[in-house]
């Protein structure tokens, strides 16, 4: 009676809370091997099992509680406004809070417990504060008697939706982008000569993202859709990262900050309307095949995070290692400096351009309009 997504959003988060605390509760009396196994199991259950189940269900609600595209964009925008806002708060208070709670293992364990409780309360409130649309709302879009598929059949149907494949690839590239931007901590330490500079750059990204997401629904409403805004946005993002590169070679940190913020303005539209785009892709599958696959459709976000994040972190590590990176060295080799310049300055430009190119083919809104118009004519 709770619907398709809400039960999967509710119960797995209890697992999230337990395993989050478990990650910071490794038995100190155990041997190193046992401790590593304990952490590996806790961390894997947290991220690959419980969070994945919760997050896919949470994202799927965008398509299940409203069929209005404008409302879906608003939902996505608010989601990421609070995500980035919370990120700013967490980064600002956690270290001090751990110290205030006594520091060390105990301090980290206590902060994990506090965050787990906050997560449980907010997640549970979210589950019971919304209702999914009744099945009858979607019945007219479905082919009678054809909406029961096996997992393999569902996967094949997904792959036939070219827009789903484009979004998956875009998600992977955006996670690769996040990984190379994360290399800024090394760039700040070894090239800018100031580790704290990365925090300032991150703050410029997070604050700009929150502000941009606030006005996003209004902008999309005025433009009458997401398609052009996303393409223009990533064009602006690529241009902004070129500006960051030029400013870096000029040695101007204030200009780097300004162009970082400009690039973030360009990235914000896709960040905020991605949930709505996935909902459009799900609708496209229903219109063309008669099958509703919201859960599997929204899995592309989790899939992109896992593949893109893992690949991005691994590739950055391999490239730094190949360049001769020496951990905690006062001065790095010339090849390492060149590699850091490539990863933090050049790669973001390439990735923004690649995402922008993919978005040119993501005209799912227009495709759905044509299908609906054709369906109306037939009626």
């Amino acid at each position: 009676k709770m619907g398709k997504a809400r039960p999967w959003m509710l119960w797995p988060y209890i697992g999230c809370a337990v395993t989050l605390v478990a990650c910071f509760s490794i038995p100190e009396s155990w041997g190193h091997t046992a401790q590593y196994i304990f952490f590996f199991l806790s961390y894997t259950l947290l991220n690959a099992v419980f969070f994945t189940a919760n997050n896919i269900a949470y994202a799927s609600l965008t398509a299940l509680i409203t069929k209005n595209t404008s409302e879906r964009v608003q939902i996505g925008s608010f989601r990421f406004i609070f995500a980035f806002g919370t990120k700013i708060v967490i980064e600002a208070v956690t270290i001090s809070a751990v110290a205030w709670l006594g520091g060390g293992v105990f301090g980290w364990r206590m902060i994990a417990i506090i965050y787990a409780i906050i997560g449980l309360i907010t997640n549970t409130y979210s589950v019971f504060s919304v209702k999914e649309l009744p099945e009858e709302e979607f019945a007219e879009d479905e082919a009678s008697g054809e909406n029961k598929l096996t997992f393999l059949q569902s996967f094949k149907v997904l792959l036939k939706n070219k827009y789903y494949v484009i979004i998956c690839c875009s998600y992977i590239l955006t996670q690769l982008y996040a990984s190379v931007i994360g290399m800024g901590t090394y760039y700040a330490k070894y090239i800018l000569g100031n580790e704290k500079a990365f925090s300032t750059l991150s703050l410029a990204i997070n604050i700009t993202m929150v502000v941009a997401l606030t006005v996003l629904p209004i902008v999309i409403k005025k433009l009458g859709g997401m398609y052009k805004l996303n393409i223009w946005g990533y064009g602006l993002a690529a241009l902004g990262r070129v500006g960051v590169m030029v400013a870096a070679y000029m040695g101007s940190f204030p200009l780097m900050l300004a162009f970082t913020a400009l690039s973030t303005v360009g990235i914000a539209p896709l960040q905020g309307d991605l949930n709505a785009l996935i909902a459009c892709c799900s609708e496209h599958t229903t219109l063309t095949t008669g099958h509703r696959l919201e859960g599997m459709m929204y899995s592309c976000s989790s899939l992109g995070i896992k593949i893109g994040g893992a690949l991005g972190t691994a590739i950055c590590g391999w490239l730094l290692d190949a360049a001769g990176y020496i951990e905690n060295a006062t001065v790095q080799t010339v090849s390492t400096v060149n590699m850091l310049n490539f990863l933090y300055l050049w790669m973001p430009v390439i990735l923004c351009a690649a995402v922008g190119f993919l978005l040119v083919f993501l005209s799912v809104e227009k495709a759905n309009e044509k299908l609906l118009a054709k369906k109306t004519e037939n009626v």
Side-chain angles (χ1 to χ4, degrees):
K1 63 182 181 181
M2 286 179 65
K4 291 175 69 176
R6 291 198 299 154
W8 289 97
M9 184 178 166
L10 178 65
W11 304 117
Y13 203 88
I14 296 172
C16 283
V18 171
T19 49
L20 172 62
V21 175
C23 285
F24 294 89
S25 304
I26 301 170
E28 295 180 60
S29 61
W30 290 11
H32 286 309
T33 301
Q35 287 181 329
Y36 280 124
I37 292 171
F38 183 93
F39 176 74
F40 175 80
L41 291 174
S42 302
Y43 189 77
T44 303
L45 285 170
L46 170 61
N47 287 282
V49 180
F50 296 122
F51 176 75
T52 297
N54 168 267
N55 196 244
I56 291 174
Y58 174 47
S60 299
L61 278 177
T62 302
L64 293 171
I65 63 177
T66 178
K67 295 176 74 175
N68 184 292
T69 301
S70 179
E71 290 178 350
R72 287 170 173 175
V73 171
Q74 290 177 34
I75 291 168
S77 295
F78 280 119
R79 174 189 179 184
F80 286 105
I81 285 170
F82 281 93
F84 281 95
T86 303
K87 188 172 184 287
I88 293 171
V89 174
I90 293 292
E91 290 175 351
V93 307
T94 299
I95 300 298
S96 299
V98 169
W100 183 76
L101 289 166
V105 174
F106 178 79
W108 281 104
R109 187 175 300 150
M110 288 305 298
I111 202 70
I113 292 171
I114 291 169
Y115 287 166
I117 292 171
I118 293 172
L120 273 173
I121 293 170
T122 53
N123 184 77
T124 304
Y125 177 76
S126 298
V127 169
F128 289 105
S129 66
V130 298
K131 287 185 178 180
E132 295 179 25
L133 294 173
E135 289 291 322
E136 294 75 29
E137 290 275 343
F138 301 98
E140 61 185 28
D141 298 328
E142 297 178 10
S144 177
E146 293 182 7
N147 58 337
K148 295 295 182 182
L149 297 173
T150 65
F151 176 82
L152 188 58
Q153 288 172 329
S154 298
F155 188 65
K156 286 179 179 178
V157 169
L158 278 188
L159 292 182
K160 288 179 182 178
N161 185 336
K162 66 177 181 179
Y163 302 113
Y164 171 80
V165 177
I166 291 171
I167 285 185
C168 270
C169 293
S170 299
Y171 229 120
I172 290 169
L173 289 176
T174 56
Q175 291 304 308
L176 284 170
Y177 176 89
S179 296
V180 296
I181 291 298
M183 297 308 293
T185 183
Y186 296 94
Y187 183 88
K189 181 176 181 178
Y190 296 112
I191 296 180
L192 297 179
N194 179 10
E195 286 186 79
K196 293 181 180 179
F198 179 65
S199 297
T200 308
L201 288 165
S202 296
L203 201 60
I205 292 172
N206 292 331
I207 291 175
T208 305
M209 184 67 78
V210 169
V211 173
L213 288 173
T214 303
V215 300
L216 179 64
I218 300 170
V219 176
I220 289 178
K221 192 172 183 180
K222 283 187 176 294
L223 291 176
M226 301 172 276
Y227 178 67
K228 289 182 179 178
L229 182 60
N230 287 334
I231 296 172
W232 293 342
Y234 261 85
L236 181 64
L239 210 60
R241 292 310 304 186
V242 170
V244 172
M245 186 196 307
V246 173
Y249 285 121
M250 286 172 56
S252 174
F253 187 68
L255 270 179
M256 285 183 71
L257 277 177
F259 281 114
T260 296
L262 181 66
S263 180
T264 304
V265 170
I267 289 170
L270 185 64
Q271 184 79 65
D273 66 32
L274 195 56
N275 265 22
L277 276 173
I278 298 173
C280 286
C281 284
S282 180
E283 184 181 5
H284 186 77
T285 293
T286 304
L287 289 170
T288 54
T289 69
H291 301 297
R292 285 179 56 203
L293 302 170
E294 289 92 355
M296 289 194 72
M297 189 67 68
Y298 276 92
S299 69
C300 67
S301 59
S302 182
L303 185 71
I305 290 170
K306 301 293 190 295
I307 295 176
L311 275 178
T313 304
I315 290 169
C316 288
W318 292 334
L319 290 176
L320 272 186
D321 188 53
Y325 170 74
I326 304 168
E327 189 176 0
N328 296 323
T330 306
V331 179
Q332 292 292 342
T333 62
V334 174
S335 59
T336 300
V337 170
N338 290 336
M339 183 57 72
L340 286 171
N341 278 320
F342 172 73
L343 288 171
Y344 189 69
L345 301 179
W346 291 86
M347 274 298 289
V349 177
I350 296 168
L351 290 169
C352 282
V355 174
F357 175 75
L358 284 175
L359 293 177
V360 172
F361 303 98
L362 195 55
S363 54
V364 64
E365 292 171 281
K366 189 176 290 185
N368 285 354
E369 286 173 9
K370 288 180 180 178
L371 288 169
L372 286 168
K374 189 176 179 181
K375 184 178 179 180
T376 304
E377 286 175 8
N378 292 335
V379 172

